[in-house]
Amino acid sequence: MTADARQELLETLRELGECHAALRFGQLLEFAALMASQEDGPTLAEDAVDSEVLAACRDHIKRWKEEGSEHRLMPGDVPALEATRGELLQAVDEVGRRLPQLTLGQLVAKLTAVAQSNTYDVEDNQLVGACRKELGGILEKVE
Amino acid sequence: MAREFLQVDPRKLRLPWSRREGTDPTKLARQIAQFGKRTDGMPPIEVARGKDGILRISNGATRATRVAKLLPGQLVDVEVSENIPNADFSRLPTVEEKLP
């Protein structure tokens, strides 16, 4: 996947996150992959085709916004879209540039494994930590 | 798409594949300690609606499990984030099947 295409997908996921502010990044990716593949299973994220995820997200965001359905947080809702999200998207982009052979789903699944979690449960800050760890490992190999 | 809210029995909701073994026991214990049987102010559970109207949780598995466990029969608010009529969620376990 080219860096530009990944950045475009990450930017679209950021926008999707604005529609569904309670979802953590891993949940957001699962949701996007679900819309794209129309089935849930053991390799939901890994099998998701970037171009299909992008198209599904765009379609969803368009319909969501047309109806003025932008997400309003409910009392007690935990906003996943915090400062961490921006940091996470940047970190995923950075790791992704070094692993261009992976789809975004494969990359996030790999990071989730590094965080010793799963795509549904993993917290955004755990993924940021996993990115740093992964990046450290990659840079060590290069040096 | 207009936002759609439903009231459903949380026991009947389907867990995502990545949570097919049931909710994280640590998170559940923490939520029970913090909220007990309280449901006032609880944010709606986000779901996707698949084939035959089956609802799969996108966010809120722990909340659904807490209510299902402590208040069996109590309905909860869910928000349908997307309709995916070709998606067959019937193979995913329900919250009830994985209640601790």
Side-chain angles (χ1 to χ4, degrees), chain B residues 41-54:
Chain B
M42 190 174 85
I45 292 159
E46 283 200 49
V47 298
R49 180 164 47 211
K51 189 177 162 189
D52 299 326
I54 296 177

Side-chain angles (χ1 to χ4, degrees), chain A:
Chain A
M1 186 183 203
T2 66
D4 285 351
R6 177 169 288 124
Q7 207 165 21
E8 189 181 4
L9 181 51
L10 286 171
E11 175 58 26
T12 306
L13 281 169
R14 186 198 58 74
E15 212 178 328
L16 184 69
E18 287 175 359
C19 301
H20 302 285
L23 270 63
R24 297 184 285 272
F25 184 74
Q27 293 175 336
L28 205 59
L29 182 71
E30 278 198 349
F31 177 52
L34 193 63
M35 290 191 290
S37 67
Q38 312 229 326
E39 59 180 328
D40 195 359
T43 52
L44 174 65
E46 291 96 320
D47 287 349
V49 178
D50 287 333
S51 57
E52 292 175 7
V53 173
L54 181 64
C57 287
R58 282 185 172 157
D59 175 60
H60 178 86
I61 292 166
K62 184 170 175 275
R63 284 182 289 117
W64 197 258
K65 286 187 173 172
E66 273 172 3
E67 294 288 341
S69 299
E70 298 202 37
H71 193 101
R72 295 177 298 278
L73 288 175
M74 301 293 189
D77 224 347
V78 181
L81 199 66
E82 302 165 339
T84 312
R85 181 63 55 83
E87 192 184 351
L88 171 59
L89 294 175
Q90 204 173 352
V92 170
D93 185 37
E94 204 172 331
V95 177
R97 283 171 193 271
R98 288 169 168 85
L99 298 168
Q101 72 279 18
L102 301 183
T103 64
L104 182 63
Q106 289 167 342
L107 180 62
V108 173
K110 185 178 169 69
L111 293 168
T112 300
V114 171
Q116 297 183 320
S117 188
N118 61 68
T119 42
Y120 180 87
D121 283 310
V122 71
E123 299 286 345
D124 283 16
N125 60 3
Q126 285 181 290
L127 279 177
V128 171
C131 285
R132 287 186 185 137
K133 204 169 170 181
E134 191 64 20
L135 208 51
I138 292 167
L139 293 176
E140 252 174 42
K141 279 181 198 165
V142 171
E143 282 163 6

Side-chain angles (χ1 to χ4, degrees), chain B:
Chain B
M1 57 188 293
R3 297 184 76 182
E4 183 183 359
F5 293 89
L6 306 171
Q7 281 213 317
V8 303
D9 185 337
R11 294 175 295 185
K12 304 302 173 200
L13 296 172
R14 302 280 166 164
L15 292 161
W17 178 273
S18 52
R19 261 276 142 246
R20 65 194 177 282
E21 298 305 330
T23 197
D24 178 341
T26 310
K27 281 187 182 176
L28 180 63
R30 198 186 307 140
Q31 256 198 34
I32 288 176
Q34 193 175 353
F35 302 109
K37 291 184 177 180
R38 276 182 47 212
T39 58
D40 54 301
M42 190 174 85
I45 292 159
E46 283 200 49
V47 298
R49 180 164 47 211
K51 189 177 162 189
D52 299 326
I54 296 177
L55 303 173
R56 174 221 184 256
I57 297 173
S58 301
N59 170 268
T62 309
R63 274 169 277 153
T65 304
R66 177 172 63 90
V67 176
K69 184 177 170 68
L70 300 181
L71 299 162
Q74 164 105 23
L75 303 184
V76 295
D77 291 328
V78 301
E79 177 172 12
V80 181
S81 304
E82 185 60 287
N83 289 300
I84 314 175
N86 293 329
D88 182 4
F89 297 140
S90 66
R91 288 169 295 178
L92 297 170
T94 62
V95 168
E96 184 173 34
E97 286 165 352
K98 296 295 174 182
L99 270 185

